[in-house]
Amino acid sequence: MSNFLPNSLVKKLGTNPLFDTNAFIKIHEEGIRATAIRLNPNKLEDCPFPNTGQVPWCSAAYYLQDRPVFTLDPLFHAGAYYPQDASSMFIDHINQSLNLHAYSIRALDLCAAPGGKSTLLNSSLHAESLLVANEIIKTRVTILQDNLMKWGNANTVTTNNDPAAFNRLPGYFDLMVVDAPCSGSGMFRKDADAIDEWSEANVRLCSERQQRILGESLSALKKDGYLYYSTCSYSEEENEDIVDWLLDSGEFESIEIPIDENWGIDHTTSAKHHAHGYRFYPHKLGGEGFFIAVLKKIGEQETFNRKRIKPEKSDVPKGILNKWVADEDNLHTFLHHEDVYVFPKMYENDLKYLQNVLYLKNAGTNVGKLNRKELIPSHALALSNHLKRGFQSVELSLEDARNYLRKENVALDAIPANIQGWAIASFQGQSLGWMKVLANRINNYYPKELRIVNL
């Protein structure tokens, strides 16, 4: 047995005759972890790092040979990629297998912070889908909002609600992703403190919490909609047993997802209903511990009344966004206090529905603040995929880009003579934020709360 892993956990895993206990212990003792990133397809086509390997179940994801200091990479701050454990990226393969990239849907990521799965869904689903990303913990919802902002799409809503609040939207979502809070055994290599916090009592407590979260929110899933249930735990009580508990209701059926046997993923079945599940072990593949199962709702479900709401006249002055925002005809504009937002026009009614029953932290893209009849552009617009193409920009060197991200001065001699007024600070063609070029100085508009510190 291991000297530091919980013996009761290792012993239980070892009851499976196909489980390689020695290899499992060894990979934890070595402490070597795979580092992976997933590209933002609206910003990057090619991986910016050398000597990479493809993550086999996610086409836009790559293993890195070394782990860089991401906070010193301007491309990270531009939202050009997202560092994420490769195991979690299996959701992309599920979406492709279920053809959910082929048509627009309404999706909910119920336990979404810090945003890895939300940004993945935002890229992997159809571009006209609506994504609601929820986080119950207030201190974590801000980083979720920031990561979705960096990803740059207006078809997202960030919410801060208890899962029970979504019962007010019966039959509303085509897809629910519930990456449930768990005992965290799959993260032992990533977070050593999780080993000390793990106990069988905590596993039971997490299982009860998972049932509460699911039981209080699943009416929001429409009939024939899909549930992705996942944890970063190895314990059956939090994984297969929860899936069996869901199937006990008669409201769901288990869905099998095809996998390549060379990927190293374990295809498991639950004890009671023989439901399909997928386990990821770090000694068998490049990723941390992970479990996921896919269920389809087959029970009848009351449907949210989507009565048409009469469109309200926008308070945004006509023409003010012409030079800033692309594709205006497909965007709904609205004011929140003095801030101008854009949101997909096809979901204008949905925004009203959501506002009526949920606490919204953010909806769409904050374009900027109205100052009399002038727009002061927001940082979100600088990173947005809806920013009008061809906006004047200043390409910065790595040193100047890092100075910009520290909110320090950028040298005047770095600015071409023909640039005046608002301009995008960019690095390798990727937008970092705004600067304003004046006759004798440059004003750095990078948000103070996002600035990086010297390392």
Side-chain angles (χ1 to χ4, degrees):
M1 287 291 179
S2 168
N3 290 325
F4 66 97
L5 294 176
N7 282 333
S8 58
L9 174 67
V10 176
K11 187 175 180 179
K12 188 171 285 190
L13 290 172
T15 59
N16 180 348
L18 300 178
F19 185 77
D20 190 337
T21 301
N22 290 331
F24 180 76
I25 293 172
K26 183 180 179 183
I27 198 74
H28 283 83
E29 289 177 341
E30 289 175 347
I32 300 171
R33 293 175 47 217
T35 298
I37 63 165
R38 178 172 40 78
L39 305 187
N40 185 337
N42 286 312
K43 297 188 177 185
L44 278 185
E45 292 182 0
D46 301 313
C47 185
F49 296 97
N51 304 317
T52 58
Q54 178 78 49
V55 175
W57 46 82
C58 183
S59 60
Y62 298 88
Y63 292 111
L64 305 187
Q65 191 172 56
D66 301 301
R67 186 175 183 86
V69 181
F70 290 117
T71 54
L72 288 180
D73 183 5
L75 294 179
F76 167 72
H77 297 278
Y81 64 82
Y82 189 96
Q84 185 179 18
D85 177 57
S87 299
S88 299
M89 300 184 200
F90 187 67
I91 285 176
D92 181 63
H93 174 69
I94 297 175
N95 290 340
Q96 301 298 314
S97 299
L98 297 177
N99 210 35
L100 294 186
H101 62 293
Y103 54 94
S104 61
I105 66 170
R106 294 173 176 85
L108 168 64
D109 187 357
L110 187 64
C111 311
K117 292 179 181 66
S118 290
T119 55
L120 187 154
L121 289 166
N122 202 211
S123 295
S124 183
L125 297 175
H126 190 279
E128 293 183 351
S129 292
L130 174 65
L131 174 65
V132 177
N134 179 68
E135 175 55 46
I136 186 174
I137 302 173
K138 286 185 178 181
T139 54
R140 285 165 57 83
V141 76
T142 299
I143 189 169
L144 170 64
Q145 179 183 346
D146 287 344
N147 282 324
L148 281 169
M149 174 196 69
K150 289 196 292 186
W151 216 243
N153 298 323
N155 61 336
T156 64
V157 177
T158 309
T159 64
N160 178 209
N161 294 267
D162 187 89
F166 290 90
N167 274 337
R168 303 170 196 153
L169 294 166
Y172 183 81
F173 293 100
D174 304 281
L175 170 65
M176 283 181 62
V177 176
V178 181
D179 186 42
C182 67
S183 60
S185 50
M187 294 289 105
F188 282 171
R189 294 198 305 167
K190 182 179 179 181
D191 180 8
D193 291 339
I195 299 174
D196 296 329
E197 294 169 3
W198 190 93
S199 70
E200 292 185 273
N202 192 36
V203 168
R204 290 191 294 271
L205 183 66
C206 288
S207 179
E208 292 169 2
R209 182 190 303 148
Q210 290 149 5
Q211 291 178 49
R212 182 192 74 81
I213 289 170
L214 291 164
E216 293 183 348
S217 63
L218 280 177
S219 64
L221 184 63
K222 65 183 271 190
K223 183 182 179 182
D224 295 325
Y226 291 102
L227 166 67
Y228 300 172
Y229 174 74
S230 65
T231 75
C232 55
S233 169
Y234 295 121
S235 299
E236 286 187 17
E237 296 92 330
E238 301 176 76
N239 297 328
E240 289 89 350
D241 290 357
I242 294 292
V243 175
D244 272 341
W245 174 78
L246 288 165
L247 292 172
D248 282 342
S249 69
E251 298 290 307
F252 292 91
E253 67 177 8
S254 174
I255 300 297
E256 183 176 3
I257 302 298
I259 56 174
D260 188 320
E261 62 180 14
N262 295 316
W263 292 351
I265 300 169
D266 278 17
H267 178 194
T268 69
T269 53
S270 64
K272 185 175 182 180
H273 291 286
H274 307 292
H276 303 283
Y278 302 89
R279 283 177 168 260
F280 295 68
Y281 292 108
H283 63 284
K284 299 188 70 173
L285 46 75
E288 301 304 314
F290 185 62
F291 171 86
I292 192 164
V294 180
L295 300 174
K296 185 176 182 179
K297 193 170 193 178
I298 58 174
E300 294 298 327
Q301 175 61 58
E302 173 191 356
T303 303
F304 181 79
N305 182 14
R306 290 189 178 92
K307 66 179 183 180
R308 184 164 179 80
I309 300 172
K310 184 178 179 181
E312 297 178 2
K313 185 177 179 181
S314 176
D315 293 326
V316 179
K318 192 173 181 180
I320 198 167
L321 301 184
N322 287 351
K323 77 170 186 175
W324 303 97
V325 176
D327 200 23
E328 272 190 88
D329 292 341
N330 293 318
L331 294 170
H332 163 59
T333 61
F334 63 95
L335 270 178
H336 181 64
H337 303 304
E338 296 176 337
D339 289 309
V340 180
Y341 287 79
V342 294
F343 192 76
K345 189 170 286 186
M346 65 184 289
Y347 292 115
E348 183 177 351
N349 281 344
D350 293 76
L351 182 57
K352 297 294 183 184
Y353 305 149
L354 296 171
Q355 285 175 323
N356 287 339
V357 299
L358 299 172
Y359 172 69
L360 308 190
K361 183 72 173 176
N362 187 75
T365 298
N366 182 340
V367 174
K369 190 177 293 291
L370 277 183
N371 183 12
R372 297 187 177 91
K373 291 191 176 182
E374 180 187 5
L375 184 79
I376 308 300
S378 71
H379 183 62
L381 177 61
L383 301 187
S384 173
N385 298 314
H386 302 281
L387 177 66
K388 202 150 197 174
R389 291 188 180 278
F391 206 95
Q392 64 178 359
S393 64
V394 176
E395 181 68 20
L396 300 176
S397 66
L398 178 59
E399 181 182 359
D400 283 336
R402 286 175 175 169
N403 284 337
Y404 173 82
L405 294 168
R406 293 180 179 112
K407 204 170 173 58
E408 296 176 357
N409 293 329
V410 177
L412 265 174
D413 57 13
I415 311 300
N418 62 327
I419 300 289
Q420 287 291 316
W422 290 108
I424 290 289
S426 70
F427 176 75
Q428 295 183 4
Q430 300 298 322
S431 174
L432 302 178
W434 293 105
M435 59 171 59
K436 197 166 189 180
V437 182
L438 305 175
N440 57 357
R441 73 177 192 276
I442 299 165
N443 289 344
N444 184 339
Y445 277 81
Y446 195 73
K448 183 168 60 175
E449 65 275 12
L450 297 178
R451 70 190 187 278
I452 64 174
V453 297
N454 289 298
L455 295 178

